[in-house]
Every structure is written in C-alpha cells, then in structure tokens.
Amino acid sequence: MFIHVVRPIVAGGNQTATSKIRVLCWIMTGPKYLNSRTRHIRDTWARHCDKVLFMSSVETDFPTVGLNVSEGRDQLYWKTIRAFQYIHRHHLDDADWFLKADDDTFVVVENLRRTLSAHDTEEPLYLGRRFRPFMAQGYMSGGAGYVLSKAALRMYVAALDGGTCTHNTDIEDMALGMCMDKLKVPAVDTRDKLGRHTFHHMQPDMFVVRQPLRARAWYLLYEYYTLVEYLTYHLRPYGYKYRYDPEEHADKIPTPS
C-alpha cells in the first residue's frame, strides 16, 4: 500500500484551535478495492475526519456513494467531478475543508488540520503536492491528495455548471488544476517553514536514494520546487538530530582511567 503522509507527526500543540477545523474526507475507490484497500482507510485514519465519504461507481452497503460512472483510469476525472458536485449538493455545510484522497493514501488528519488552520476557508484556496508542468501555477498531485477550501469548492461547481470548466482530459489531477488555474484559485505552498514537503505523492522508500539514479526519475520532472536544496538541507533519517554538536555531550564522555 502506498503511504502519503500529509505532515510529520507532531506531538502536543494547540489542539483546541486545530480541532475546530472541520475536514470532510472523500476517498476515491471502486468495488474491487473495498476489501483490499478501502476498509483499512475506514478503520484507521478516516475515523479522524469530521465527515468521510467513500466515492465509487456504484452504491454499496460498505457504504459507498454511487456516482453513476464507469470504472477505469479514464473515468477518474468524471468521478472527481461527480464527487465534488455530490458534496456541494449534500455536505457543503458539514465541513470547512474538503480533502480528496485515493484508496491507497494515508493521512495524518490532525496535522492536516494544523496546516489548514493557517488559512481561511472562505478564501478560494487549493492545497497539495505541487507539480509544475502544463500550467503557470502548477497543479496538485492526485496521488498525494489535495484539499479545496469551501470557497474554492463553490467556485469549482459553479464553473462546471456554467461551462467555464469541462471534462477536457482523463488526467484527473491535471484537469482539476487547469480549472483552478482558469478560476485564479491560488495553489498554496504547503511546505513547512523549513522547506519540507507536507504532502507526498509516492511511498516513503521512493524518497530514499539507495544508489545513484541511472536516469532522472519521472516524478522529479514534475516537482514545482527545487529538490537540490531539500535533499541537501532538509532530508534526514528519522531520529537524526539536526546539526548534532558533539561538544554538547563532551562532559558525558568517560575519561581514560
């Protein structure tokens, strides 16, 4: 299972402020993945969302919402369109922020709330892992999950209803990004204050280079932000103490007798 962690786990913090951030999580899935993937999301991180919806081609007692579309990669953007229209029609007032995630994604919802707490949901905003090709402001990776503010959701559905945005490509994340770009909805920089990404589009071991790459990995071509600085200054193994100073522990080193 791919794991896309929205933010490193943080202990403590202002839990009262972040707990007021209401997040609706909708999971894009299909009938054949309910047992192998989706049930694990339902039983783990989805419990931390204020509202969770599992969007599929058909309605089931899992439960899933039936979107009346076919299955297949060429149907992903139709699923996305129908899902956001359904949410706008039935659940707009149930949350402040609206997270789309795939059924192979893992999210630390508490830390997502912390990220969102710095923003106003009544401003049109679009957050996720920012890719750079095809449009000036880039677009958010579908695999990492992305978030629309309430204002952005309203604008998106209105644009679909009015024909400003249409189903013009099967590539779901790029298509939504093109609509956001057309509507002038800003793509928010979701890196933390140290420049570290908080949304990840690949499983963790893809970011640990075991040997020099023979060819530039495809996903590096999509990075909106420069990776050299991230790999040099910010990437650390878990448990590594940043800028360890041996002099700090000099008094603890036993002296020869």
Side-chain angles (χ1 to χ4, degrees):
M1 180 182 294
F2 290 173
I3 301 177
H4 309 294
V5 182
V6 169
R7 196 178 180 95
I9 295 176
V10 177
N14 190 339
Q15 298 297 323
T16 302
T18 58
S19 64
K20 295 178 181 178
I21 306 298
R22 298 181 303 157
V23 180
L24 182 150
C25 306
W26 75 266
I27 314 303
M28 184 185 291
T29 189
K32 70 178 182 179
Y33 295 120
L34 294 181
N35 189 56
S36 60
R37 297 181 181 181
T38 319
R39 71 181 180 92
H40 300 294
I41 291 178
R42 181 189 61 190
D43 296 341
T44 56
W45 66 263
R47 295 179 300 166
H48 300 269
C49 302
D50 296 279
K51 181 76 177 180
V52 60
L53 299 168
F54 298 98
M55 301 293 193
S56 181
S57 55
V58 295
E59 183 177 354
T60 69
D61 59 4
F62 180 79
T64 57
V65 176
L67 299 173
N68 194 28
V69 298
S70 302
E71 289 294 336
R73 291 194 63 81
D74 61 343
Q75 298 296 308
L76 294 182
Y77 192 43
W78 277 122
K79 273 189 176 180
T80 301
I81 290 173
R82 298 288 183 252
F84 277 124
Q85 288 174 329
Y86 178 90
I87 291 166
H88 182 267
R89 187 163 57 248
H90 297 288
H91 299 287
L92 182 64
D93 295 326
D94 292 343
D96 307 304
W97 300 89
F98 303 86
L99 166 72
K100 174 267 173 184
D102 290 337
D103 55 13
D104 57 359
T105 300
F106 190 90
V107 180
V108 182
V109 179
E110 293 79 4
N111 293 328
L112 175 60
R113 286 194 181 96
R114 182 185 177 199
T115 297
L116 296 174
S117 67
H119 303 285
D120 182 359
T121 190
E122 292 302 331
E123 294 290 330
L125 299 172
Y126 169 46
L127 304 90
R129 178 61 172 261
R130 198 170 179 182
F131 281 176
R132 69 184 174 93
F134 312 121
M135 61 208 75
Q137 75 164 0
Y139 66 96
M140 302 305 178
S141 160
Y146 50 77
V147 180
L148 297 185
S149 66
K150 185 173 290 189
L153 175 57
R154 290 194 191 103
M155 291 177 65
Y156 178 54
V157 172
L160 291 170
D161 292 343
T164 302
C165 293
T166 60
H167 185 287
N168 55 355
T169 174
D170 295 335
I171 306 174
E172 165 248 333
D173 49 6
M174 186 179 74
L176 189 133
M178 291 172 66
C179 183
M180 294 294 105
D181 191 59
K182 185 179 292 187
L183 298 175
K184 308 299 182 187
V185 174
V188 176
D189 182 354
T190 57
R191 296 176 298 169
D192 68 12
K193 63 183 181 181
L194 297 178
R196 299 173 299 192
H197 285 289
T198 58
F199 287 72
H200 302 289
H201 58 292
M202 303 292 286
Q203 61 267 40
D205 61 355
M206 292 295 291
F207 296 98
V208 179
V209 181
R210 296 177 180 142
Q211 60 183 0
L213 298 174
R214 295 180 181 177
R216 188 169 174 80
W218 69 265
Y219 54 86
L220 298 182
L221 301 176
Y222 284 75
E223 288 291 349
Y224 191 89
Y225 304 105
T226 303
L227 275 184
V228 173
E229 180 177 350
Y230 172 72
L231 293 172
T232 304
Y233 294 103
H234 305 301
L235 182 65
R236 294 289 183 272
Y238 178 78
Y240 174 86
K241 183 175 180 181
Y242 186 69
R243 296 293 183 266
Y244 175 75
D245 181 4
E247 296 299 325
E248 180 181 343
H249 301 278
D251 59 336
K252 298 179 182 179
I253 300 175
T255 56
S257 55

PDB file of all heavy atoms in Angstrom, residues 208-217 220:
ATOM      1  N   VAL A 208      14.141   7.725  -0.621  1.00  0.00           N
ATOM      2  CA  VAL A 208      15.447   7.356  -0.086  1.00  0.00           C
ATOM      3  C   VAL A 208      16.260   6.752  -1.238  1.00  0.00           C
ATOM      4  O   VAL A 208      15.948   5.667  -1.720  1.00  0.00           O
ATOM      5  CB  VAL A 208      15.330   6.347   1.070  1.00  0.00           C
ATOM      6  CG1 VAL A 208      16.714   5.972   1.592  1.00  0.00           C
ATOM      7  CG2 VAL A 208      14.478   6.929   2.193  1.00  0.00           C
ATOM      8  N   VAL A 209      17.265   7.468  -1.697  1.00  0.00           N
ATOM      9  CA  VAL A 209      18.046   7.034  -2.855  1.00  0.00           C
ATOM     10  C   VAL A 209      19.092   6.033  -2.396  1.00  0.00           C
ATOM     11  O   VAL A 209      20.044   6.382  -1.693  1.00  0.00           O
ATOM     12  CB  VAL A 209      18.716   8.232  -3.546  1.00  0.00           C
ATOM     13  CG1 VAL A 209      19.498   7.768  -4.774  1.00  0.00           C
ATOM     14  CG2 VAL A 209      17.673   9.257  -3.939  1.00  0.00           C
ATOM     15  N   ARG A 210      18.930   4.764  -2.776  1.00  0.00           N
ATOM     16  CA  ARG A 210      19.861   3.720  -2.342  1.00  0.00           C
ATOM     17  C   ARG A 210      21.099   3.670  -3.218  1.00  0.00           C
ATOM     18  O   ARG A 210      22.141   3.194  -2.815  1.00  0.00           O
ATOM     19  CB  ARG A 210      19.148   2.367  -2.384  1.00  0.00           C
ATOM     20  CG  ARG A 210      17.984   2.270  -1.397  1.00  0.00           C
ATOM     21  CD  ARG A 210      17.278   0.946  -1.523  1.00  0.00           C
ATOM     22  NE  ARG A 210      16.173   0.858  -0.573  1.00  0.00           N
ATOM     23  CZ  ARG A 210      15.016   0.297  -0.844  1.00  0.00           C
ATOM     24  NH1 ARG A 210      14.793  -0.220  -2.026  1.00  0.00           N
ATOM     25  NH2 ARG A 210      14.054   0.244   0.066  1.00  0.00           N
ATOM     26  N   GLN A 211      20.969   4.102  -4.458  1.00  0.00           N
ATOM     27  CA  GLN A 211      22.098   4.148  -5.381  1.00  0.00           C
ATOM     28  C   GLN A 211      21.850   5.279  -6.366  1.00  0.00           C
ATOM     29  O   GLN A 211      20.708   5.706  -6.544  1.00  0.00           O
ATOM     30  CB  GLN A 211      22.249   2.822  -6.122  1.00  0.00           C
ATOM     31  CG  GLN A 211      21.028   2.434  -6.945  1.00  0.00           C
ATOM     32  CD  GLN A 211      21.204   1.083  -7.607  1.00  0.00           C
ATOM     33  OE1 GLN A 211      22.228   0.440  -7.445  1.00  0.00           O
ATOM     34  NE2 GLN A 211      20.218   0.653  -8.353  1.00  0.00           N
ATOM     35  N   PRO A 212      22.894   5.787  -7.006  1.00  0.00           N
ATOM     36  CA  PRO A 212      22.694   6.879  -7.961  1.00  0.00           C
ATOM     37  C   PRO A 212      21.706   6.454  -9.045  1.00  0.00           C
ATOM     38  O   PRO A 212      21.762   5.341  -9.568  1.00  0.00           O
ATOM     39  CB  PRO A 212      24.093   7.099  -8.542  1.00  0.00           C
ATOM     40  CG  PRO A 212      25.017   6.561  -7.504  1.00  0.00           C
ATOM     41  CD  PRO A 212      24.299   5.417  -6.862  1.00  0.00           C
ATOM     42  N   LEU A 213      20.775   7.370  -9.354  1.00  0.00           N
ATOM     43  CA  LEU A 213      19.796   7.077 -10.384  1.00  0.00           C
ATOM     44  C   LEU A 213      20.454   7.078 -11.758  1.00  0.00           C
ATOM     45  O   LEU A 213      21.219   7.966 -12.095  1.00  0.00           O
ATOM     46  CB  LEU A 213      18.680   8.123 -10.347  1.00  0.00           C
ATOM     47  CG  LEU A 213      17.864   8.177  -9.042  1.00  0.00           C
ATOM     48  CD1 LEU A 213      16.897   9.348  -9.086  1.00  0.00           C
ATOM     49  CD2 LEU A 213      17.108   6.883  -8.829  1.00  0.00           C
ATOM     50  N   ARG A 214      20.159   6.056 -12.557  1.00  0.00           N
ATOM     51  CA  ARG A 214      20.726   5.973 -13.900  1.00  0.00           C
ATOM     52  C   ARG A 214      20.055   6.957 -14.851  1.00  0.00           C
ATOM     53  O   ARG A 214      20.637   7.399 -15.813  1.00  0.00           O
ATOM     54  CB  ARG A 214      20.578   4.546 -14.427  1.00  0.00           C
ATOM     55  CG  ARG A 214      21.388   3.531 -13.617  1.00  0.00           C
ATOM     56  CD  ARG A 214      21.220   2.124 -14.147  1.00  0.00           C
ATOM     57  NE  ARG A 214      21.970   1.167 -13.351  1.00  0.00           N
ATOM     58  CZ  ARG A 214      21.954  -0.140 -13.556  1.00  0.00           C
ATOM     59  NH1 ARG A 214      21.234  -0.649 -14.539  1.00  0.00           N
ATOM     60  NH2 ARG A 214      22.651  -0.939 -12.784  1.00  0.00           N
ATOM     61  N   ALA A 215      18.825   7.239 -14.589  1.00  0.00           N
ATOM     62  CA  ALA A 215      18.094   8.230 -15.375  1.00  0.00           C
ATOM     63  C   ALA A 215      17.248   9.041 -14.407  1.00  0.00           C
ATOM     64  O   ALA A 215      16.905   8.584 -13.321  1.00  0.00           O
ATOM     65  CB  ALA A 215      17.214   7.547 -16.409  1.00  0.00           C
ATOM     66  N   ARG A 216      16.923  10.255 -14.780  1.00  0.00           N
ATOM     67  CA  ARG A 216      16.134  11.114 -13.907  1.00  0.00           C
ATOM     68  C   ARG A 216      14.750  10.503 -13.714  1.00  0.00           C
ATOM     69  O   ARG A 216      14.011  10.279 -14.668  1.00  0.00           O
ATOM     70  CB  ARG A 216      16.017  12.515 -14.525  1.00  0.00           C
ATOM     71  CG  ARG A 216      15.373  13.539 -13.603  1.00  0.00           C
ATOM     72  CD  ARG A 216      15.548  14.923 -14.186  1.00  0.00           C
ATOM     73  NE  ARG A 216      14.845  15.942 -13.449  1.00  0.00           N
ATOM     74  CZ  ARG A 216      15.261  16.507 -12.331  1.00  0.00           C
ATOM     75  NH1 ARG A 216      16.414  16.127 -11.827  1.00  0.00           N
ATOM     76  NH2 ARG A 216      14.559  17.446 -11.739  1.00  0.00           N
ATOM     77  N   ALA A 217      14.385  10.233 -12.467  1.00  0.00           N
ATOM     78  CA  ALA A 217      13.094   9.612 -12.176  1.00  0.00           C
ATOM     79  C   ALA A 217      11.964  10.505 -12.678  1.00  0.00           C
ATOM     80  O   ALA A 217      12.035  11.734 -12.585  1.00  0.00           O
ATOM     81  CB  ALA A 217      12.958   9.388 -10.668  1.00  0.00           C
ATOM     82  N   LEU A 220      10.564  13.354 -10.513  1.00  0.00           N
ATOM     83  CA  LEU A 220      11.393  14.537 -10.291  1.00  0.00           C
ATOM     84  C   LEU A 220      11.141  15.591 -11.361  1.00  0.00           C
ATOM     85  O   LEU A 220      11.349  16.788 -11.139  1.00  0.00           O
ATOM     86  CB  LEU A 220      12.878  14.152 -10.276  1.00  0.00           C
ATOM     87  CG  LEU A 220      13.314  13.185  -9.167  1.00  0.00           C
ATOM     88  CD1 LEU A 220      14.814  12.940  -9.238  1.00  0.00           C
ATOM     89  CD2 LEU A 220      12.928  13.719  -7.794  1.00  0.00           C
TER      90      LEU A 220
END
